[in-house]
């Protein structure tokens, strides 16, 4: 068991090291691509560290941009959870709610979150509101879908048990259906996080005054590929950290399943 | 125990002329036909019959989970129309809640009815001990073996203190060894905590080992073929002469099915 863990950790490190090595080989060593087009890993690392306190060339440090993106993304994301999860649950639990909401939901569901950007910018401008709204539109769909599926997983025999113990319908929802759905709800929340993160960067690329997407877009204009890659790395790292936090919460909330 | 106006004992469970028909595209199928039965207080009654003869359907009707096509079920003289806490059920598929611990499962019924914490703690302690699961109070269900799960199911039904306990082939999913052990256990628990029990099985040994009275059902459409009062002293011995004679006699009467 321990041996297997060491091997998998070794492979993980190896893949990253190999990737950086090939990158290094193509740039600094063999100079296959001009440094202006693809800077070396060394240069990117240097810019990465510098960008922590350097406001050039886009008017903000890496931390400021990251926080700006996180703030907007989390605002839209939390609203998506607050509205999407209960909505999914009630759609699955109550046939009339389902009938009422479903046609609209089915119509809006296939629209990618990014497609909302132009409309939201026209309505809300390029401030925090429009981007939070775009994030919301992307993240709310997986929240609703997975909560809905989760509630529908409730076993009839579990409902019977609850009924033989005299549980009311509301108690059946709280003590049977929602616990059954919880792993699915958490999955929905996790999927929604990646959707939210994709949406925020896309929204910032198209119209924004700060944030990681904005930083990348600005750097493209002045041909600073090193900063573009710094921005991409920051997006990746934030994504990893957020999903680690979520797995931790999931572990606390979902008990007794495999 | 209650008596009616003429001073006659009212049975805990009484079924009068119970019929159940299912209609499908291929026509109507009668599963239960004119079944009359009554169960008195603290009696251990076994519903015994071949394979798919509708025993579970009958039990579901008696407990209120299903409704008869015609006929009536009385519990303590009152018409049964829906499941209620006074009629506990131990399900074939166990139907424990995997998101709750052993204690959470056992105390579920009491909590659902708003019994104060002290009381449900005390009662669940007692029944967890009675079924031999002391030390597993905080274990989740997926950590338990098949036999232990069924013990939780029994404790959960007992803890709610129903007037009558229905058990639907509770040991059918267990291996032979565990099954013998659980038969001993259920006999011991029943002797310690007297309870009116309706037990469904298609295993003749189990029936003779446990029952005060065996109600033999025929093949589909089921009706009551014969009743046997089992007066063998407890604890019973699977290999005693009387046990074997009784077992053979009832087996001969049972309809054979493919």
């Amino acid at each position: 068991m321990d041996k297997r863990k060491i091997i998998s950790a070794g492979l993980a490190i190896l893949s990253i090291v190999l990737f950086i090595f090939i990158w290094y080989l193509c740039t600094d060593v063999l100079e296959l691509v001009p440094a202006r087009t693809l800077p070396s890993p060394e240069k990117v690392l240097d810019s990465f560290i510098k960008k922590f306190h350097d406001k050039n060339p886009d008017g903000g440090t890496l931390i400021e941009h990251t926080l700006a993106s996180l703030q907007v993304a989390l605002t839209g994301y939390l609203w998506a959870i607050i509205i999407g999860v209960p909505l999914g649950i009630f759609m699955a639990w109550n046939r009339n709610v389902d009938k009422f909401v479903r046609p609209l939901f089915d119509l809006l569901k296939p629209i990618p979150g990014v497609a909302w950007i132009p409309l939201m910018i026209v309505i809300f401008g390029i401030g925090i509101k429009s981007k939070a709204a775009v994030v919301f539109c992307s993240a709310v769909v997986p929240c609703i879908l997975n909560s809905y599926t989760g509630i529908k997983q409730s076993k009839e025999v579990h409902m019977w048990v609850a009924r033989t113990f005299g549980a009311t319908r509301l108690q059946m929802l709280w003590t049977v259906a929602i616990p059954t759905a919880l792993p699915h709800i958490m999955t929905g929340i996790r999927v929604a996080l990646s959707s939210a993160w994709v949406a925020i960067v896309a929204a910032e690329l198209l119209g924004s005054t700060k944030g990681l997407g904005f930083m990348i877009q600005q750097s493209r204009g002045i041909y600073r590929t090193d900063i573009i890659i710094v921005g991409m790395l920051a997006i990746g790292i934030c994504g990893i950290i957020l999903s680690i936090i979520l797995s931790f919460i999931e572990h606390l909330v979902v008990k007794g399943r495999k | 125990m209650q008596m009616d106006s003429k001073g006659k004992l009212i049975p805990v469970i009484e079924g009068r002329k119970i019929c159940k028909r299912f209609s499908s595209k291929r026509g109507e199928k009668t599963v239960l036909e004119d079944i009359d039965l009554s169960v008195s207080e603290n009696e251990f009654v076994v519903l015994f019959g071949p394979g798919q003869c509708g025993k579970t359907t009958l039990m579901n009707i008696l407990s209120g989970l299903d409704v008869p096509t015609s006929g009536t079920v009385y519990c303590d003289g009152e018409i049964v129309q829906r499941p209620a806490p006074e009629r506990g059920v131990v399900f074939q598929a166990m139907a424990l809640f995997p998101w709750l611990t052993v204690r959470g499962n056992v105390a579920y019924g009491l909590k659902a009815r708003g019994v104060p914490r002290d009381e449900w703690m005390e009662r669940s302690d007692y029944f967890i001990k009675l079924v031999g699961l002391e030390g597993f109070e905080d274990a989740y269900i997926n950590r338990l073996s098949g036999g232990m799960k069924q013990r939780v199911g029994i404790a959960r039904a007992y803890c709610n203190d129903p007037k009558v306990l229905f058990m639907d082939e509770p040991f059918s999913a267990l291996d032979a060894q565990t099954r013998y052990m659980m038969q001993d256990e259920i006999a011991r628990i029943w002797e310690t905590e007297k309870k009116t029990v309706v037990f469904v099985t298609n295993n003749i040994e189990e029936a003779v080992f446990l029952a005060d009275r065996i109600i033999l059902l025929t093949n589909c459409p089921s009706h009551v073929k014969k009743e046997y009062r089992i007066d063998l002293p407890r604890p019973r011995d699977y290999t005693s002469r009387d046990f074997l004679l009784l077992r053979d006699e009832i087996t001969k009467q049972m309809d054979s099915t493919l």
Side-chain angles (χ1 to χ4, degrees), chain B residues 5 16 45 47 58 69 148 168 179 188 196 200 205 211 224 227 244 249:
Chain B
S5 53
R16 279 187 214 154
V45 169
L47 299 178
L58 178 57
T69 311
M148 288 162 93
D168 181 14
R179 189 166 186 156
R188 178 184 64 81
T196 311
V200 170
E205 266 193 330
V224 178
E227 291 194 17
L244 294 172
E249 190 194 328

Side-chain angles (χ1 to χ4, degrees), chain A residues 157-167 171-172 175-177 179-180 255-258, chain B residues 60 65 83-85 87 89 91 95-99 108-109 112-113 140 142 156-157 160:
Chain A
V157 70
H158 281 155
M159 294 298 181
W160 283 6
V161 171
R163 286 177 66 204
T164 60
F165 283 119
Q171 278 176 321
M172 283 162 72
T175 62
V176 179
T180 304
K255 291 264 171 72
R257 255 58 69 93
K258 272 168 210 173
Chain B
N60 284 346
L65 282 166
R87 292 183 297 278
V89 182
F91 291 91
L96 301 173
F97 300 133
W99 53 86
Y108 178 85
R113 281 188 293 142
Y140 284 92
N142 58 355
R156 176 172 69 178
N160 206 41

Side-chain angles (χ1 to χ4, degrees), chain A residues 193 197 233-247:
Chain A
L193 180 69
W197 205 225
L233 283 176
I235 291 166
I237 292 168
C238 283
I240 291 176
I241 293 173
L242 288 174
S243 65
I244 288 175
I245 294 173
L246 262 192
S247 318

Side-chain angles (χ1 to χ4, degrees), chain A residues 120-127 129-131:
Chain A
M120 292 304 176
I121 289 180
V122 171
I123 297 175
F124 294 116
I126 57 167
K129 265 194 224 155
S130 62
K131 278 169 288 167

